């Protein structure tokens, strides 16, 4: 067939379709196919496991975050329980101190009332002695003085006794007022000291809680750093192992006589697996299945045990909260009963003072009688 040079140039693109491709080494061709499959599998894996499309399997980051949140909640619950225990101990100590102070004040008041009663009895005896002496003087018939009708021979003594009695009464009132003021100042000072002590204890507890919180936060940070380091190390080990497996696979593909048809005798002499070989394969598969089932059962048992532990912790926390609430309610009830008893004691004390102690109060008519005798 004869054709010109120009026709060859114009039909060059047609002739290129019929050109023979160069012959490639079978090993190189196999390597190119393996690399192509690996790249396609990597692209497929990245496309399937992309975060914006969908997640398959276990999300380790989400699980780690959930574990951290759960640990944080447990730590906060423990801190809350410790804080409530410390607060309950402080309240119990405060209530016991208040009860001791109340008993001391009650005993002191009883001593003062008893002292006042003794003084009152002494005053009554003194007044009785004065009245008896005056009656004896009036009944004396051996006097040489004349007794006129309406004459008051004991006027000066009676006035002096009344003045002494008035002075004693005023001194007693002044003493009671000063004692009351001193007792009130002492109670205020004790209350201020008690409040200062409570504030100091509260401040110490808050500082201790802050220190514990900082230390636990630091521990959590260190633990997270350790987890991150372990995760990085594990990823590096997995990457290294994957690279080693890839190298082993490539070496097997390159050096295997069976895969590369290096030995023709193997293909002709292979007659299938023997009975013992098949049995070993079946035993290996059965062992793998048992191991897999045991691993799944262990995971189920571990999850069940973890759930049981969490349920026990939840019940313990609920029980502790209920006990704290019950203790608080009992403390409030005791406080209400104590206030009721104090109110009754106050009412009884004032009733006793108004109806028994101060029954003979001095009125203005008593002072108007001075200086009005018949003399």
């Amino acid at each position: 067939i004869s054709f010109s040079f120009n026709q060859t140039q114009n039909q060059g693109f047609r002739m290129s379709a019929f050109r023979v491709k160069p012959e490639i080494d079978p090993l190189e061709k196999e390597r190119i196919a393996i690399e192509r499959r690996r790249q396609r599998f990597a692209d497929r894996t990245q496309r399937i496991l992309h975060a914006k499309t969908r997640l398959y399997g276990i999300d380790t980051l989400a699980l780690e975050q959930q574990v951290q949140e759960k640990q944080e909640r447990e730590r906060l619950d423990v801190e809350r329980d410790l804080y409530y225990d410390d607060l309950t101990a402080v309240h119990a100590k405060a209530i016991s101190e208040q009860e001791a102070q109340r008993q001391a004040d009650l005993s002191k008041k009883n001593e003062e009332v008893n002292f006042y009663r003794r003084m009152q009895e002494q005053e009554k005896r003194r007044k009785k002695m004065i009245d008896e002496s005056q009656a004896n003087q009036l009944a004396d018939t051996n006097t040489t003085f004349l007794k006129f009708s309406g004459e008051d021979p004991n006027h000066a003594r009676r006035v002096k006794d009344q003045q002494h009695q008035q002075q004693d009464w005023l001194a007693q009132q002044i003493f009671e007022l000063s004692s009351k003021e001193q007792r009130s100042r002492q109670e205020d000072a004790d209350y201020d000291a008690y409040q200062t002590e409570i504030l100091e204890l509260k401040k110490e507890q808050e500082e201790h809680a802050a220190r514990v919180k900082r230390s636990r936060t630091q521990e959590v940070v260190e633990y997270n750093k350790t987890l991150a380091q372990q995760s990085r190390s594990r990823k590096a080990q997995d990457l290294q192992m994957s690279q080693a497996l890839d190298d082993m696979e490539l070496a097997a593909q390159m050096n295997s006589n069976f895969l590369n048809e290096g030995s023709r005798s193997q293909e002709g002499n292979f007659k299938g697996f023997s009975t013992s070989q098949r049995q070993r394969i079946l035993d290996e598969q059965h062992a793998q299945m048992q191991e897999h089932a045991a691993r799944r059962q262990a995971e189920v048992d571990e999850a069940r045990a973890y759930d049981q532990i969490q349920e026990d912790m939840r019940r313990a926390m609920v029980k502790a909260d209920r006990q704290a609430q019950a203790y608080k309610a009992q403390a409030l009830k005791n406080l209400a009963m104590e206030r009721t008893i104090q109110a009754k004691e106050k009412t009884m004390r004032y009733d006793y003072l108004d109806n028994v102690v101060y029954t003979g109060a001095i009125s203005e008519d008593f002072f108007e009688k001075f200086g009005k005798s018949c003399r």
Side-chain angles (χ1 to χ4, degrees):
I1 301 173
S2 63
F3 51 88
S4 63
F5 180 76
N6 293 329
Q7 290 178 354
T8 305
Q9 288 182 348
N10 294 331
Q11 296 179 359
F13 67 94
R14 295 180 182 178
M15 294 178 64
S16 62
F18 300 98
R19 290 177 183 175
V20 179
K21 294 183 179 180
E23 185 178 359
I24 303 176
D25 188 10
L27 297 179
E28 185 67 21
K29 185 177 180 180
E30 185 68 20
R31 187 186 64 79
I32 293 172
I34 292 172
E35 291 293 336
R36 188 183 299 112
R37 285 199 301 270
R38 287 182 179 175
Q39 185 65 32
R40 187 166 62 252
F41 182 77
D43 295 339
R44 178 175 176 272
T45 303
Q46 185 177 5
R47 183 175 65 256
I48 292 175
L49 300 180
H50 196 268
K52 293 183 179 179
T53 57
R54 193 171 180 180
L55 290 176
Y56 284 90
I58 300 175
D59 189 359
T60 56
L61 296 178
L63 290 177
E64 289 179 358
Q65 185 177 2
Q66 291 177 2
V67 170
Q68 292 178 2
E69 291 177 356
K70 188 173 184 179
Q71 292 176 355
E72 184 68 19
R73 287 197 304 270
E74 292 177 355
R75 185 181 61 79
L76 292 176
D77 292 338
V78 172
E79 289 183 356
R80 182 188 62 185
D81 294 338
L82 292 176
Y83 174 75
Y84 281 141
D85 293 340
D86 295 338
L87 189 61
T88 302
V90 172
H91 288 173
K93 183 180 179 181
I95 291 172
S96 62
E97 290 180 355
Q98 289 180 357
E99 180 65 21
Q101 185 66 29
R102 188 182 69 81
Q103 294 294 336
D105 295 340
L106 184 61
S107 61
K108 186 177 181 180
K109 290 178 182 178
N110 292 331
E111 290 178 359
E112 292 178 355
V113 171
N114 293 329
F115 175 75
Y116 181 78
R117 288 176 181 175
R118 290 194 299 270
M119 295 297 293
Q120 193 176 20
E121 291 294 333
Q122 292 178 3
E123 183 66 23
K124 286 181 180 180
R125 287 195 298 269
R126 190 175 67 84
K127 184 177 179 181
K128 184 177 181 181
M129 290 175 62
I130 292 173
D131 293 340
E132 290 177 355
S133 64
Q134 290 178 358
N136 293 329
Q137 290 177 2
L138 291 175
D140 189 7
T141 57
N142 296 325
T143 178
T144 58
F145 293 97
L146 297 177
K147 295 181 180 179
F148 298 98
S149 178
E151 185 180 6
D152 190 4
N154 297 320
H155 173 72
R157 184 180 297 172
R158 187 174 62 254
V159 170
K160 185 179 294 184
D161 293 338
Q162 290 174 352
Q163 290 176 355
H164 285 302
Q165 186 178 7
Q166 185 179 6
Q167 290 177 1
D168 294 338
W169 183 81
L170 291 175
Q172 183 68 23
Q173 293 295 321
I174 292 171
F175 174 74
E176 290 180 359
L177 290 175
S178 63
S179 300
K180 184 178 180 180
E181 292 178 356
Q182 185 177 3
R183 185 168 58 252
S184 177
R185 288 194 298 269
Q186 185 65 31
E187 289 178 356
D188 294 337
D190 294 339
Y191 180 77
D192 293 338
Y194 178 69
Q195 291 294 327
T196 304
E197 184 179 358
I198 290 177
L199 291 176
E200 292 294 334
L201 290 174
K202 185 177 179 181
K203 183 178 178 182
E204 291 179 0
Q205 290 179 356
E206 290 178 353
E207 291 178 353
H208 178 68
R211 289 194 299 269
V212 171
K213 186 176 181 181
R214 286 195 299 269
S215 63
R216 290 183 178 177
T217 303
Q218 186 65 28
E219 291 177 358
V220 170
V221 171
E222 296 295 334
Y223 181 71
N224 291 334
K225 288 182 179 179
T226 305
L227 289 179
Q229 183 65 29
Q230 292 178 359
S231 178
R232 288 194 296 268
S233 301
R234 187 167 56 253
K235 288 181 180 179
Q237 291 177 1
D238 294 341
L239 182 60
Q240 186 177 1
M241 184 177 294
S242 177
Q243 186 66 32
L245 292 175
D246 292 340
D247 294 338
M248 289 173 63
E249 181 183 2
L250 185 59
Q253 292 287 342
M254 296 291 293
N255 301 323
S256 176
N257 294 326
F258 180 76
L259 295 176
N260 295 320
E261 299 180 356
S263 177
R264 296 288 183 177
S265 61
Q266 211 172 15
E267 181 180 359
N269 295 330
F270 181 71
K271 302 299 182 178
F273 293 106
S274 63
T275 305
S276 60
Q277 290 176 347
R278 286 197 300 270
Q279 186 63 36
R280 284 199 300 270
I281 293 172
L282 292 175
D283 294 340
E284 183 67 23
Q285 290 178 352
H286 183 67
Q288 291 177 357
M289 291 173 63
Q290 288 182 351
E291 183 180 358
H292 180 70
R295 186 167 60 251
R296 293 294 300 273
Q297 185 64 31
E299 291 177 356
V300 171
D301 295 340
E302 184 179 0
R304 187 181 295 110
Y306 181 78
D307 294 337
Q308 185 65 32
I309 291 172
Q310 294 298 318
E311 181 64 20
D312 295 340
M313 291 179 63
R314 185 189 68 80
R315 291 182 180 179
M317 291 173 61
V318 170
K319 184 178 180 181
D321 291 338
R322 288 178 180 175
Q323 289 179 356
Q325 293 295 332
Y327 181 80
K328 191 182 215 178
Q330 186 65 30
L332 293 175
K333 185 177 180 181
N334 295 335
L335 182 61
M337 292 177 61
E338 181 180 358
R339 289 179 177 176
T340 303
I341 294 172
Q342 290 178 352
K344 290 182 180 179
E345 290 178 354
K346 182 178 179 181
T347 304
M348 293 174 61
R349 185 169 61 254
Y350 278 106
D351 289 341
Y352 178 80
L353 292 175
D354 294 337
N355 299 325
V356 178
V357 179
Y358 301 118
T359 55
I362 298 176
S363 61
E364 294 294 335
D365 297 337
F366 177 76
F367 297 100
E368 291 178 356
K369 296 179 182 181
F370 294 152
K372 292 186 179 180
S373 65
C374 57
R375 285 190 177 182

